[in-house]
Amino acid sequence: MNILVCIKQVPDTTEIKIDPVTNTLVRDGVPSIINPFDGYALEAAARIKDQDPDTRIVVLSMGPKQAEAALREALAIAADKAYLVTDRMFGGSDTLATSYILYNAISKVEELEGLKFDAIFCGKQAIDGDTAQVGPELAELLNYPQVTYALEATNADGTLHILKEGEDGNYLIGVKTPCLITFTKPSFDPRFPTIKRKMAARKAVIENLTSAELPNIDPARAGLKGSPTKVKKTFVPPRKEAGVVIKEETGEESAQKLFTLLSEAHVI
Amino acid sequence: MEAKTKDLWVFVETKEDGSAKNVGIELLNPGRELADKQGGKLVAVVIGCGVKAAVEEAACHGADQVLYVDGEEFRQYSTDAYVAALDHLVETYGPTTMLIGATPNGRDMGPRLSSRLQTGLTADCTGLAIDEETGCVAWTRPAFGGNLMATILCTDHRPQLGTVRPGVFKKPAAGEAKAEITKVDFSFPAEGIRTEILEVIKETAGELVDLEGADIIVAGGRGVGSAEGFAPVRELAEALGATVGASRAAVDAGWISHSHQVGQTGKTVGPKLYIACGISGAIQHLAGMSASDVIVAINKDADAPIFGVADYGIVGNLFEVLPALTAEIKKRKG
Ligand SMILES: Cc1cc2nc3c(=O)[nH]c(=O)nc-3n(C[C@H](O)[C@H](O)[C@H](O)COP(=O)(O)OP(=O)(O)OC[C@H]3O[C@@H](n4cnc5c(N)ncnc54)[C@H](O)[C@@H]3O)c2cc1C
Ligand SMILES: Nc1ncnc2c1ncn2[C@@H]1O[C@H](COP(=O)(O)O)[C@@H](O)[C@H]1O
């Protein structure tokens, strides 16, 4: 089976701090990582390959040149080949424009690879924007069925069996290939790269695709100009006023005080 | 596409029994205000099978019109059938704005629809207003794990779409139904549904964890120390009639199932009261619960970030505080 995994390089949002003076996001020194959900998608593809070594895993990212680092990491973990879509013209794309560019890039990659992908794997969401939109938007352009919130995927002869996280339990979903799946966090941890793969990944050639290689892209649908949604402003959320701190001698006294305060405030 | 009307739509998602999920009714509240400002009708849109209950609920919570599609093929949510139905409705009636609850299904369906209609969608909003300058909806949402808020406009494409977090808005008061109710004939071929539910794996037989609809949540984190450590959390929850939540650290440790997880990779909740026990308050946890009306934190560490969002914070050991609190509640309630 041939699987394409869409990978985004993101700042590690757990490391992001707010500058208390300027009240803005401090991004300097924040490490760039593979979006964790894309790591889960890659792991899902790797598990299919564990079962069937003929599986080919290609990773695709759109972003600045430095996103090659994320692709190299993906190569070290499990991918066979990596492509980076990079062009000034694509900067500032919202999710709809991103999905449109990725859609065009996918058909180019299929042409270059001389194959059709049976499945496109994405992360559920990128942790910088948290939108969870690119996957389904891309599925629509491809006219593929989609399954979101996937935990695990197994290949059952032209059909993927997807364990999907639901609101009150999980579902096992059957979906015919070609299809697009978005992955959330499974119960297991993704694998680490081996030393051998790491060395190979360092030397691997990452093919870059620019607007020149993707002539079908209509500039009116790409980049900031081609994005229907525009950010009007950003702000750091107002911090809540400091709450009441309760610290009595014993836990019991603290509990009683809390109870009194909550009753007075008609919360309970 | 062009909007044919100035109407504002609220997608009212249904449960399996044909009643409305809370978030759809909640959205009729900000929906009313936005619709009035846009100078159009407030329209509730219901899709499902046997959805009379949801249609009535929407009608008596302030909708001017309820459009509904009813059919066997809509009994279970599927991306293919639901997006086709919504696309048909939008093409037929041409709303200017649509709000969709940011539930798992809403977030599956919304982007697929926006891509079909080639229009803008803003995800997981927590604030809605009308932008004075453009008259467009100003969608406000958290990004960077809740560290930053962004206000987004979709100026040139219609309809403007957004998914909105459950629990952010209060349900409007119920009143006399005055909505015009319109059944729309639309069917979708079974073979057009390209996904098939092979098996439903309920977490624990019969136990439904309705965190999104809960009024009170008592949540435990790594501080509870073990699966048994959840006992005082569960006892307090029982005394309060509350639902039990958990941090990811507690879920990852295997002490409680994932259906209890609150946060970026779990549920987004907005109860009247959230009691966080032994939870440090990592940004990914806060992303799922900071919209709660009142937050109580119980933590040994006075510097834990959870105290930054807490209205009431007890610095102390949860194993002392929780049993005492439970006893106090039982005593007063008789
Ligand atoms: C992409 C991503 C997504 C994530 N999604 C989520 C998510 O959805 N939900 C989520 O919760 N996390 C999520 N996380 C994880 C998050 O970053 C934190 O690791 C997690 O929330 C920590 O859980 P905790 O507060 O229970 O544990 P800890 O951070 O270990 O905190 C335990 C707290 O318990 C206190 N404590 C210990 N013993 C006691 C006692 N006896 N009495 C009182 N207090 C005590 C300690 O002082 C400490 O503050 C995510 C992380 C990433 C990277
Ligand atoms: N620039 C990008 N390059 C490659 N994949 C992307 C990009 N942006 C988003 N994706 C994919 O789409 C998923 C959802 O992203 P988002 O809609 O931004 O939350 C991610 O987890 C990735 O798999």
Side-chain angles (χ1 to χ4, degrees):
Chain A
M1 166 170 231
N2 300 312
I3 305 173
L4 180 93
V5 185
C6 293
I7 290 203
K8 187 176 186 189
Q9 188 184 46
V10 294
D12 185 349
T13 55
T14 52
E15 299 277 322
I16 285 184
K17 304 252 149 41
I18 305 295
D19 183 324
V21 181
T22 58
N23 221 23
T24 51
L25 226 54
V26 183
R27 290 193 215 191
D28 289 349
V30 175
S32 290
I33 56 171
I34 292 186
N35 177 38
F37 294 101
D38 303 352
Y40 308 143
L42 182 62
E43 174 64 26
R47 286 184 174 226
I48 289 175
K49 187 163 181 161
D50 290 343
Q51 296 302 313
D52 172 11
D54 284 340
T55 302
R56 184 162 175 81
I57 303 175
V58 177
V59 284
L60 172 68
S61 186
M62 178 178 97
K65 192 82 180 164
Q66 64 163 49
E68 282 195 353
L71 288 171
R72 269 186 217 287
E73 200 183 328
L75 287 167
I77 295 166
D80 298 305
K81 175 91 192 154
Y83 292 85
L84 176 68
V85 181
T86 187
D87 199 300
R88 272 258 164 82
M89 191 179 115
F90 303 152
S93 294
D94 73 353
T95 64
L96 198 71
T98 300
S99 64
Y100 171 69
I101 297 162
L102 290 176
Y103 165 69
N104 280 280
I106 288 171
S107 54
K108 181 71 193 178
V109 171
E110 288 185 329
E111 185 193 311
L112 292 169
E113 293 270 313
L115 53 77
K116 274 297 239 188
F117 290 110
D118 302 292
I120 312 290
F121 285 3
C122 290
K124 178 188 78 162
Q125 66 193 46
I127 60 167
D128 51 356
D130 287 332
T131 71
Q133 292 181 176
V134 168
E137 286 171 345
L138 181 57
E140 171 66 19
L141 294 172
L142 291 160
N143 191 19
Y144 289 174
Q146 74 190 44
V147 180
T148 51
Y149 301 93
L151 297 162
E152 293 169 36
T154 45
N155 185 4
D157 231 6
T159 301
L160 280 182
H161 284 188
I162 306 293
L163 183 66
K164 175 185 161 91
E165 188 179 281
E167 277 183 289
D168 47 35
N170 294 334
Y171 298 93
L172 190 66
I173 308 273
V175 56
K176 288 229 163 56
T177 57
C179 57
L180 185 143
I181 316 292
T182 78
F183 286 85
T184 187
K185 189 192 182 301
S187 55
F188 43 81
D189 288 324
R191 70 198 61 197
F192 289 106
T194 58
I195 304 279
K196 199 168 142 225
R197 289 198 68 104
K198 251 189 178 157
M199 307 251 285
R202 214 173 291 154
K203 283 181 262 153
V205 177
I206 292 177
E207 219 149 322
N208 281 213
L209 304 174
T210 67
S211 55
E213 283 81 34
L214 302 168
N216 288 340
I217 291 182
D218 174 0
R221 288 176 70 182
L224 194 60
K225 278 209 317 279
S227 296
T229 59
K230 304 234 161 38
V231 177
K232 176 162 165 125
K233 64 166 187 194
T234 61
F235 56 98
V236 171
R239 240 163 290 175
K240 256 175 117 161
E241 275 178 48
V244 182
V245 179
I246 305 167
K247 200 177 174 210
E248 304 301 299
E249 284 291 311
T250 66
E252 197 176 337
E253 283 165 342
S254 292
Q256 281 161 354
K257 181 152 179 210
L258 174 67
F259 183 85
T260 309
L261 288 169
L262 289 178
S263 324
E264 279 169 12
H266 304 289
V267 179
I268 53 174
Chain B
M1 68 179 281
E2 290 282 315
K4 293 183 187 143
T5 69
K6 292 179 175 167
D7 295 352
L8 179 136
W9 286 15
V10 171
F11 176 69
V12 177
E13 191 180 336
T14 52
K15 301 185 198 161
E16 261 168 61
D17 64 3
S19 64
K21 280 198 184 161
N22 283 340
V23 60
I25 305 300
E26 286 163 22
L27 293 184
L28 292 171
N29 191 359
R32 175 83 269 159
E33 207 181 310
L34 297 179
D36 290 347
K37 284 196 181 149
Q38 288 179 344
K41 282 186 297 194
L42 172 63
V43 180
V45 177
V46 181
I47 299 171
C49 182
V51 292
K52 201 160 156 268
V55 169
E56 278 168 14
E57 257 176 282
C60 68
H61 282 88
D64 299 316
Q65 186 180 11
V66 184
L67 289 173
Y68 76 100
V69 172
D70 202 309
E72 191 53 51
E73 66 273 37
F74 303 108
R75 183 180 292 283
Q76 294 273 7
Y77 172 80
S78 72
T79 316
D80 287 324
Y82 272 63
V83 172
L86 270 178
D87 176 48
H88 171 79
L89 292 171
V90 169
E91 300 281 354
T92 311
Y93 294 91
T96 191
T97 305
M98 173 151 53
L99 312 181
I100 299 168
T103 61
N105 290 344
R107 297 191 72 181
D108 180 273
M109 187 181 78
R112 184 103 195 188
L113 181 70
S114 80
S115 187
R116 189 161 304 177
L117 298 167
Q118 284 296 302
T119 187
L121 166 66
T122 307
D124 206 24
C125 300
T126 54
L128 301 168
I130 295 287
D131 179 56
E132 297 289 333
E133 220 171 289
T134 57
C136 299
V137 176
W139 311 88
T140 297
R141 65 181 303 270
F144 288 96
N147 282 299
L148 194 71
M149 303 297 291
T151 300
I152 290 167
L153 304 179
C154 171
T155 49
D156 303 329
H157 295 70
R158 289 294 174 268
Q160 42 194 341
L161 307 177
T163 58
V164 186
R165 253 192 212 179
V168 174
F169 296 98
K170 297 272 161 286
K171 281 188 188 183
E176 208 181 308
K178 51 178 175 38
E180 173 194 343
I181 292 173
T182 316
K183 180 172 195 288
V184 180
D185 282 316
F186 179 78
S187 58
F188 191 77
E191 61 277 11
I193 300 176
R194 294 170 290 178
T195 51
E196 188 191 350
I197 300 175
L198 303 172
E199 200 184 327
V200 180
I201 309 149
K202 294 272 183 215
E203 293 248 319
T204 27
E207 190 201 18
L208 285 186
V209 188
D210 184 15
L211 283 168
E212 273 128 336
D215 269 344
I216 306 181
I217 293 172
V218 184
R222 204 193 316 262
V224 307
S226 64
E228 297 73 46
F230 262 98
V233 174
R234 290 186 192 279
E235 282 155 18
L236 175 60
E238 201 179 318
L240 286 169
T243 306
V244 175
S247 76
R248 172 157 151 192
V251 171
D252 283 357
W255 303 337
I256 190 163
S257 71
H258 183 260
S259 56
H260 293 268
Q261 185 175 318
V262 172
Q264 187 184 310
T265 34
K267 306 265 163 60
T268 303
V269 301
K272 296 198 175 77
L273 174 62
Y274 190 92
I275 306 182
C277 315
I279 293 177
S280 63
I283 195 79
Q284 294 87 1
H285 189 79
L286 302 185
M289 47 66 75
S290 54
S292 309
D293 289 351
V294 175
I295 297 172
V296 172
I298 301 162
N299 197 305
K300 282 207 288 212
D301 172 9
D303 293 327
I306 189 79
F307 289 121
V309 298
D311 300 281
Y312 303 93
I314 296 188
V315 181
N317 185 338
L318 69 95
F319 293 104
E320 291 169 17
V321 175
L322 292 186
L325 190 57
T326 307
E328 197 67 25
I329 287 160
K330 283 190 177 154
K331 195 165 85 195
R332 305 283 182 106
K333 279 193 176 164

